[in-house]
Amino acid sequence: MTKQSGGSVSSAKRSLALSFYTFLSRILGLIRDHFMAVSFGTGMVASAFSVAYRLPNMFRNLLAEGTLSQSFMPIFSEYEKMGVMDARVMAGTVLSFLFLCLSVFVALFWFFAAGFLPALVGGSPEYGTLVVELSLVLFFLIMTASLSSIFMSISNSHHNYFVPSLSPIILNFSYLIVFIFVFPFYHEIRDKVFLLAYGIVTGGVLQLLVQGWYVYQNGFGPIFRLNFKHPAIRKIFKLMLPAALGGSFYQIGLLVDIFLANYIQNQNPGLGAVVSLDYAQRLVQLPTGIIGVALATTILPSLLKDLREGREENVPKEIADVLSFAFFLTLPASIGLAVLGETVLDSIYFGGRWDHLATMTAFYPLVFYSFAIPFYSINKVLVSSYYAFSDTKTPLRIQLVSFFLSIVVSIGLMFFFKHSAIALASALAASVTSSLLLFYLKSHQVKIPFLTVWLRVFKMMPALLGLLVWLLISEWVGKPVLVTYLTNEWGFGFANVSRICLLVSILPAVMIYFATASFTGIPESEIILGRFLKKIRKKSIQP
């Protein structure tokens, strides 16, 4: 990184801290998914839970991790310039209004769910009824997640990322507590799935309490007033509406994917398309969440600060540096999941109700999804960049195009590739979204130095090639030998053998990647390895 780009270096370093917290959450998420897979497999109950959870999760991603928090932050920053009390009153007014709107929304869903959900998901009457019953419990998560997002935005606006990052960790612990301490006392799979649903809702309430407590402890607690005429109400929803519509195209696209997968599953009994897509997507969300969400969360306050203090010339460098950083971290993740997909799936999910057929059903969608990991991540960064300019309409138009493209490709190819077509369409739409978001940034006089970014990516090629060669050798040559030896000589189970093979593949690959990156002088590796490399160099210089 250049000296001029000091702001971007600090953004990258802050994103590393947030990435670490997110990494802990995602690891817990993988443990959670393991218990889910072995407890429910890919059958009717698992599919019903997947659909029922997707509905509130769609709105959670839209509000808690997207438009609401990112639309709120610039306005909160603006009111803080007027005074802390003004900002607290504004936040309390928004929260009060949001609580009222969400209460009405949840009540309407509870009233109409039984009428429209069974028709949407298809399948047997038993399946439709189970989806409705689980949805009525899980839909309350919209309330807790959306309100929590306001408190998290207040913390993030002050560059306090630790406690906000605990929010998904709390939710994952609520899963694990149910799996480990409650499930042993129950044997019926239907009882288990409802106990899990209530446990998740309890975790959502705990999320809200923790985030609210932290904000009040730091003196930024909202002062609740239901004032419909407060100017912030109109301003935030004016910003949020186009952003919400744009984000909703992506989220509705995910929902359409689930319904298409339901159709494919109904046409191919035993395929397990819904759950397989869900688990493949969750694996892709591991690097996307760790890298993309972290970078997007940290770049927005930095861009707002540059714009507020009249340093517009820093914005292109800031975005370019963050994009390069995103490519440095997501490209190896993309290659790794594409090559090691089968081993990864077996390592995490195999056992109980999850068998080899379930792994192969999820493998092909995972490969297609993995190709788009860099695009998923940089899209989050680019959308945050538009929000810094209070532009929520341009991403809306772009996401509208991608939404229809994804649906057309999914429907056109699903008769050939079945549920894998949905993953392929999602990857294609993500790449188109990235291209259009980059192109239209020029409307804000942001000329990203693309040549610099592509030169940095080109400089990563030796490291990426070394990583790819090792992964191919370990997967195609090393894995068969290890499986035979550990199974026959040591009597290891298949899941444990897969985990050992995964470690043998990943650990050397990571070392090869970072060693090559450091040797070729890639600045992103300096940020990550930082102090460790400095200590080694100091020791090598000393006599």
Side-chain angles (χ1 to χ4, degrees):
M1 299 282 178
T2 62
K3 289 182 180 180
Q4 288 103 327
S5 58
S8 59
V9 173
S10 63
S11 289
K13 287 183 177 179
R14 283 194 295 269
S15 72
L16 277 178
L18 183 57
S19 292
F20 176 73
Y21 306 141
T22 310
F23 175 74
L24 294 179
S25 167
R26 299 290 173 167
I27 292 300
L28 288 173
L30 291 180
I31 298 171
R32 171 202 71 196
D33 289 346
H34 166 75
F35 281 107
M36 282 287 298
V38 299
S39 298
F40 301 115
T42 60
M44 183 192 73
V45 172
S47 296
F49 181 87
S50 180
V51 174
Y53 186 70
R54 180 59 64 96
L55 291 168
N57 198 49
M58 178 184 74
F59 288 97
R60 188 198 73 179
N61 290 335
L62 178 61
L63 298 174
E65 293 183 2
T67 57
L68 177 60
S69 56
Q70 291 180 323
S71 299
F72 174 83
M73 200 181 297
I75 300 172
F76 183 78
S77 178
E78 179 184 321
Y79 272 82
E80 269 203 318
K81 287 192 292 184
M82 305 177 191
V84 174
M85 188 58 66
D86 290 310
R88 292 179 65 190
V89 170
M90 185 279 289
T93 304
V94 170
L95 275 167
S96 300
F97 185 75
L98 182 63
F99 177 78
L100 180 63
C101 293
L102 289 170
S103 298
V104 173
F105 184 51
V106 171
L108 288 172
F109 178 83
W110 284 347
F111 186 77
F112 290 108
F116 72 89
L117 271 182
L120 286 175
V121 300
S124 66
E126 183 186 3
Y127 177 63
T129 301
L130 185 57
V131 170
V132 171
E133 292 174 349
L134 288 171
S135 298
L136 294 178
V137 177
L138 291 169
F139 209 73
F140 188 72
L141 283 173
I142 293 175
M143 179 81 73
T144 58
S146 301
L147 297 176
S148 295
S149 72
I150 296 294
F151 290 109
M152 292 164 67
S153 295
I154 294 171
S155 298
N156 288 338
S157 67
H158 296 96
H159 298 296
N160 296 326
Y161 301 115
F162 173 65
V163 172
S165 70
L166 292 178
S167 199
I169 292 175
I170 293 170
L171 193 61
N172 283 328
F173 267 121
S174 69
Y175 272 91
L176 296 178
I177 288 170
V178 175
F179 284 131
I180 296 170
F181 297 107
V182 179
F183 272 19
F185 299 99
Y186 294 85
H187 301 289
E188 289 293 326
I189 191 170
R190 284 179 62 93
D191 292 339
K192 288 182 177 181
V193 78
F194 279 101
L195 286 166
L196 182 61
Y198 285 115
I200 294 169
V201 171
T202 303
V205 174
L206 288 175
Q207 281 181 316
L208 177 58
L209 293 175
V210 169
Q211 300 304 327
W213 168 81
Y214 182 71
V215 168
Y216 277 98
Q217 283 290 106
N218 283 276
F220 300 109
I223 298 173
F224 292 96
R225 293 177 184 174
L226 187 57
N227 179 7
F228 293 102
K229 295 183 179 180
H230 194 288
I233 294 291
R234 183 176 180 181
K235 195 167 186 177
I236 192 170
F237 285 98
K238 184 179 178 182
L239 276 178
M240 184 180 163
L241 184 58
L245 287 172
S248 68
F249 288 129
Y250 173 72
Q251 297 302 330
I252 293 172
L254 295 179
L255 200 59
V256 170
D257 289 350
I258 287 294
F259 293 137
L260 288 175
N262 260 293
Y263 173 79
I264 294 168
Q265 183 170 281
N266 293 334
Q267 299 300 311
N268 300 269
L271 181 64
V274 174
V275 178
S276 299
L277 270 178
D278 203 14
Y279 282 131
Q281 196 175 78
R282 289 185 193 181
L283 283 175
V284 169
Q285 287 171 353
L286 176 65
T288 304
I290 292 172
I291 300 160
V293 173
L295 288 171
T297 302
T298 54
I299 194 176
L300 181 56
S302 297
L303 292 179
L304 287 170
K305 185 177 180 182
D306 285 338
L307 294 173
R308 188 168 61 241
E309 296 177 1
R311 297 196 303 267
E312 290 85 356
E313 71 280 357
N314 286 351
V315 170
K317 294 193 294 290
E318 179 92 14
I319 296 174
D321 286 341
V322 171
L323 289 179
S324 299
F325 196 72
F327 278 122
F328 180 76
L329 294 174
T330 57
L331 287 173
S334 179
I335 293 170
L337 272 181
V339 176
L340 303 177
E342 186 179 341
T343 306
V344 171
L345 288 164
D346 284 330
S347 299
I348 298 170
Y349 304 132
F350 191 87
R353 295 176 181 270
W354 187 280
D355 55 16
H356 187 66
L357 178 61
T359 293
M360 296 313 298
T361 306
F363 172 67
Y364 295 106
L366 178 60
V367 171
F368 286 131
Y369 278 133
S370 67
F371 292 152
I373 288 174
F375 302 115
Y376 293 141
S377 298
I378 66 174
N379 285 349
K380 293 179 183 294
V381 173
L382 293 171
V383 169
S384 286
S385 303
Y386 279 94
Y387 289 167
F389 291 98
S390 297
D391 178 6
T392 55
K393 292 181 179 179
T394 303
L396 165 62
R397 299 187 185 102
I398 292 171
Q399 287 158 339
L400 176 62
V401 172
S402 299
F403 170 70
F404 285 110
L405 175 65
S406 178
I407 292 176
V408 169
V409 173
S410 293
I411 294 174
L413 296 180
M414 69 181 188
F415 297 101
F416 303 98
F417 297 112
K418 294 186 172 62
H419 62 303
S420 299
I422 298 171
L424 176 59
S426 176
L428 179 62
S431 64
V432 170
T433 300
S434 297
S435 302
L436 293 175
L437 286 171
L438 284 167
F439 179 78
Y440 284 105
L441 266 177
K442 65 182 183 180
S443 63
H444 297 288
Q445 285 72 53
V446 176
K447 296 182 179 178
I448 298 176
F450 287 109
L451 181 61
T452 302
V453 174
W454 293 126
L455 285 175
R456 289 185 185 179
V457 173
F458 182 76
K459 201 173 182 180
M460 299 172 195
M461 288 302 137
L464 291 170
L465 182 61
L467 175 136
L468 174 61
V469 169
W470 171 258
L471 291 180
L472 290 174
I473 292 173
S474 63
E475 183 71 4
W476 293 351
V477 180
K479 180 181 174 180
V481 175
L482 272 175
V483 168
T484 302
Y485 177 74
L486 292 174
T487 302
N488 295 336
E489 299 296 327
W490 292 86
F492 282 12
F494 184 70
N496 287 327
V497 171
S498 298
R499 289 164 193 148
I500 293 171
C501 292
L502 191 62
L503 286 174
V504 170
S505 297
I506 289 179
L507 292 180
V510 170
M511 294 173 65
I512 290 169
Y513 184 69
F514 280 101
T516 309
S518 298
F519 180 76
T520 53
I522 296 175
E524 286 77 14
S525 67
E526 294 280 349
I527 295 175
I528 295 173
L529 300 178
R531 294 179 182 177
F532 177 73
L533 288 176
K534 287 180 182 178
K535 288 180 180 179
I536 292 178
R537 286 168 182 166
K538 284 181 180 178
K539 287 182 180 180
S540 63
I541 293 173
Q542 290 175 354

